[in-house]
Amino acid sequence: MSELLRVENLTKSYGRQRGCTDVSFELWPGEVLAIVGESGSGKTTLLNCCAGRLAPTGGSVVYETRHKGLIDIHGMSEPERRFLMRTDWAFVHQNPRDGLRMNVSAGANVGERLMAVGARNYGNIRNAALDWLSRTEVDPDRIDDLPTTFSGGMQQRLQIARNLVSGPRLVFMDEPTGGLDVSVQARLLDMLRDLVDRLGLSAVVVTHDLAVARMLSTRLMVMQQGRVVETGLTDRVLDDPQHAYTQLLVSSVLQP
Amino acid sequence: MNEPRLDADGEMLCLNGVTKTFNLHNQGERTIPVVTGVNLKLNAGECMALMGSSGSGKSTLIRMIYGNYGCAAGEILIREEDGSWTDLAQADPREVIRLRRHRLGYVSQFLRVIPRVATIDVVSEPMRLAGASDSESRNRAAELLTRLNLPEALWDLSPTTFSGGEQQRVNIARGFVHPYPALLLDEPTASLDKVNRQVVLDLILEARDRGAAILGIFHDHEAREAVCNRFLDVEEFKAAA
Ligand SMILES: Nc1ncnc2c1ncn2[C@@H]1O[C@H](COP(=O)(O)OP(=O)(O)OP(=O)(O)O)[C@@H](O)[C@H]1O
Ligand SMILES: Nc1ncnc2c1ncn2[C@@H]1O[C@H](COP(=O)(O)OP(=O)(O)OP(=O)(O)O)[C@@H](O)[C@H]1O
Ligand SMILES: [Mg+2]
Ligand SMILES: [Mg+2]
């Protein structure tokens, strides 16, 4: 086994404003990496650069493509990168409205992703949509309803169904349980954990919730002011934190 | 660390000069020295009790071996299937995860419950992760839960709402579901009634008989005497404060 994604010395600045600085990590198939840190520490910036949604100022993001081996995603042509994002990758936004099309039905939201990778048979697409709605615990009877009629938790699960239906290898998630109430969060988390486990997906998950990181990830990266200050096995970083900032983060919550 | 460093055949676990100090950066840079220079060797088929007063570092040592706490100085060598040795003190996260899947089991003092995951899945998971099939793992999990007298009606529920003793039995079943060659136990018999305590002691003895190397903490004197054939006082390694 070897790496699926390799990020080297990644830096992104917004003019004089710092986004993230000199971040490096590797992700192997089947691994889940969580990124935690205070607001403004550069988590979303880093995730967007890794997922090809934002051009870095420096450094590289190299991805093991199915057919051509390791390729720097920011050196690809725009259509190539878009194709990769549609087929191999998925991106789950914190706000489901950013990841869904709100003016088409739930079924169409899921089906669209399949059509983007070449599916044409209407019956098959509808069946796949039904299957994924039930796997993400959205009542299949709601397949023809608009996402605007869904609760926040249902919208988030629909966004996940839309993302996973096309069989991605790598999933990026930005605060997937943010903005949901606690019981809905638990349900979503359990579902994500199970899906990642059963499908053998690799994932990079940004969260400010240490309990979410503990439940979903095997490795953890702690960011402060744009830099990675500590990284390692998730349970070790949380139970025996070394850096002053990580110790502060861990001690300010109950039993992460 | 791949060349065999120890000759004895049955050795499973070997600690050399293991030292631990906690540095609390936000509490006036306080340091808490716990243990210094711990040496121990554990063979297959042995069960060693860690002894010492509260706060002497028994749980800390177990967590260091499991990779849950870091190890600043010393070696924590575990024997691989092919006879080579790996130093857990230096292992990267991927290696620690591999060792936890296949070589090293751990029963913590309390179960960490995951909401909504059924008891039977909580218990069978380690065996699945070690490579067994779904049905094989579930059968073994069911067998253990039955022995531990956990009513079948509870198997499909998440342990979130279980009593302390029920949760601990789930935790024990989870720790014993895969036949790890090395097993770490932190107070496995605490909060259990007499009947279930005996079941746990039987499980430990069976693991010993199949050749597991076991390192455990037992507050209960009788339990300790019943299953342990080696004893180590952690106070011997008390760090100077
Ligand atoms: N488009 C932008 N233009 C200018 N500055 C930006 C832009 N996007 C982000 N920043 C700045 O970059 C820094 C990192 O922002 P980022 O969104 O990555 O933080 P974050 O860790 O995701 O925070 P949060 O937890 O609040 O979402 C912040 O100081 C932010 O103000
Ligand atoms: N994560 C941690 N951070 C800081 N200090 C810790 C941590 N874990 C343990 N300690 C300290 O290390 C020392 C040893 O604790 P440990 O839990 O290993 O004791 P023990 O021998 O298992 O005691 P008991 O019999 O009460 O369970 C204590 O002083 C404890 O406060
Ligand atoms: Mg953000
Ligand atoms: Mg203890």
Side-chain angles (χ1 to χ4, degrees):
Chain A
M1 266 221 290
S2 64
E3 71 249 1
L4 187 63
L5 189 73
R6 185 169 76 225
V7 174
E8 267 175 340
N9 308 107
L10 193 83
T11 295
K12 170 71 187 178
S13 48
Y14 302 97
R16 293 183 54 203
Q17 178 66 39
R18 153 184 45 73
C20 65
T21 309
D22 206 21
V23 177
S24 302
F25 68 88
E26 284 173 7
L27 191 74
W28 289 20
E31 282 186 342
V32 179
L33 172 76
I35 304 172
V36 299
E38 65 199 345
S39 178
S41 58
K43 305 181 297 295
T44 297
T45 300
L46 172 62
L47 194 72
N48 281 329
C49 289
C50 293
R53 298 161 43 83
L54 195 60
T57 321
S60 63
V61 178
V62 175
Y63 176 71
E64 168 75 42
T65 55
R66 287 184 215 236
H67 304 300
K68 292 190 198 157
L70 292 168
I71 294 185
D72 183 343
I73 62 152
H74 291 289
M76 287 178 172
S77 69
E78 186 64 27
E80 268 183 312
R81 188 162 55 241
R82 286 199 172 282
F83 181 74
L84 195 65
M85 290 166 77
R86 266 204 319 265
T87 53
D88 267 32
W89 295 359
F91 196 99
V92 177
H93 295 263
Q94 172 169 5
N95 186 341
R97 286 166 183 274
D98 297 331
L100 290 173
R101 289 221 294 141
M102 300 306 281
N103 55 353
V104 302
S105 71
N109 263 286
V110 180
E112 243 177 22
R113 266 289 284 215
L114 277 180
M115 287 165 69
V117 295
R120 287 293 170 266
N121 181 300
Y122 176 79
N124 291 349
I125 293 172
R126 191 169 169 93
N127 284 337
L130 281 169
D131 177 40
W132 270 94
L133 290 179
S134 71
R135 285 169 82 164
T136 51
E137 302 178 15
V138 176
D139 181 357
D141 287 347
R142 304 289 300 267
I143 187 168
D144 295 317
D145 294 353
L146 292 178
T148 45
T149 67
F150 285 11
S151 71
M154 285 166 71
Q155 287 180 2
Q156 193 57 300
R157 280 176 280 145
L158 179 62
Q159 190 193 182
I160 290 165
R162 174 179 161 97
N163 269 285
L164 297 187
V165 66
S166 54
R169 297 160 79 201
L170 176 57
V171 185
F172 299 94
M173 300 188 232
D174 195 354
E175 303 276 6
T177 61
L180 300 176
D181 78 51
V182 181
S183 65
V184 181
Q185 271 192 29
R187 182 167 173 199
L188 190 74
L189 271 177
D190 170 38
M191 194 196 82
L192 280 174
R193 203 179 95 99
D194 193 58
L195 287 172
V196 167
D197 194 31
R198 303 227 172 240
L199 305 174
L201 295 175
S202 307
V204 183
V205 186
V206 164
T207 178
H208 65 268
D209 187 334
L210 302 183
V212 169
R214 190 191 284 274
M215 209 154 132
L216 286 181
S217 72
T218 47
R219 280 189 306 136
L220 183 62
M221 214 156 77
V222 183
M223 292 185 72
Q224 184 190 28
Q225 297 179 4
R227 290 183 182 272
V228 174
V229 295
E230 186 162 354
T231 176
L233 197 65
T234 299
D235 62 275
R236 186 185 307 184
V237 173
L238 294 177
D239 294 339
D240 187 14
Q242 301 295 310
H243 191 276
Y245 174 68
T246 317
Q247 292 184 354
L248 194 67
L249 206 64
V250 169
S251 65
S252 46
V253 294
L254 295 165
Q255 265 267 327
Chain B
M1 182 93 17
N2 277 322
E3 80 279 21
R5 297 169 43 101
L6 299 152
D7 37 346
D9 228 2
E11 278 182 8
M12 262 311 302
L13 202 61
C14 177
L15 274 60
N16 296 319
V18 168
T19 297
K20 182 71 182 174
T21 302
F22 291 102
N23 299 301
L24 308 180
H25 297 298
N26 302 301
Q27 295 169 49
E29 291 297 329
R30 227 154 40 89
T31 60
I32 304 179
V34 184
V35 287
T36 46
V38 179
N39 299 317
L40 75 81
K41 285 192 199 318
L42 194 61
N43 292 318
E46 286 182 335
C47 180
M48 179 189 275
L50 292 180
M51 311 208 292
S53 56
S54 176
S56 59
K58 305 179 295 294
S59 297
T60 297
L61 205 51
I62 284 207
R63 284 167 174 255
M64 286 166 86
I65 298 170
Y66 197 58
N68 176 235
Y69 283 177
C71 175
E75 292 180 314
I76 301 176
L77 302 174
I78 182 165
R79 176 104 162 214
E80 300 279 3
E81 197 169 2
D82 66 3
S84 65
W85 293 86
T86 297
D87 184 3
L88 268 153
Q90 302 291 333
D92 70 22
R94 288 181 193 110
E95 268 193 308
V96 176
I97 287 165
R98 176 182 60 79
L99 288 165
R100 286 180 179 180
R101 279 198 180 168
H102 301 283
R103 310 292 295 162
L104 192 58
Y106 171 49
V107 176
S108 56
Q109 211 171 343
F110 301 101
L111 176 70
R112 191 180 280 282
V113 285
I114 299 163
R116 295 216 324 146
V117 180
T119 294
I120 188 90
D121 295 327
V122 171
V123 173
S124 59
E125 184 185 41
M127 197 171 167
R128 259 201 304 118
L129 290 176
S133 72
D134 270 10
S135 63
E136 207 184 337
S137 316
R138 285 177 75 94
N139 288 342
R140 169 81 180 140
E143 182 193 314
L144 282 167
L145 289 170
T146 305
R147 277 188 73 179
L148 286 156
N149 303 301
L150 201 86
E152 196 168 341
L154 298 180
W155 296 1
D156 286 333
L157 304 178
S158 153
T160 326
T161 57
F162 290 7
S163 74
E166 287 166 345
Q167 289 195 1
Q168 187 55 1
R169 280 180 277 154
V170 173
N171 206 22
I172 288 161
R174 182 178 157 89
F176 280 88
V177 73
H178 175 69
Y180 300 100
L183 204 49
L184 308 167
L185 309 172
D186 196 340
E187 314 258 8
T189 53
S191 68
L192 295 185
D193 58 38
K194 227 172 150 173
V195 174
N196 286 305
R197 200 188 62 162
Q198 190 54 49
V199 178
V200 175
L201 297 180
D202 290 343
L203 287 171
I204 297 172
L205 287 172
E206 286 164 25
R208 233 181 75 182
D209 285 345
R210 68 161 168 78
I214 305 169
L215 191 62
I217 305 169
F218 302 89
H219 265 160
D220 171 10
H221 173 79
E222 266 175 59
R224 184 161 65 220
E225 295 296 322
V227 296
C228 297
N229 46 14
R230 300 207 28 214
F231 302 86
L232 183 74
D233 188 352
V234 175
E235 313 253 354
E236 281 177 35
F237 309 102
K238 203 179 186 79

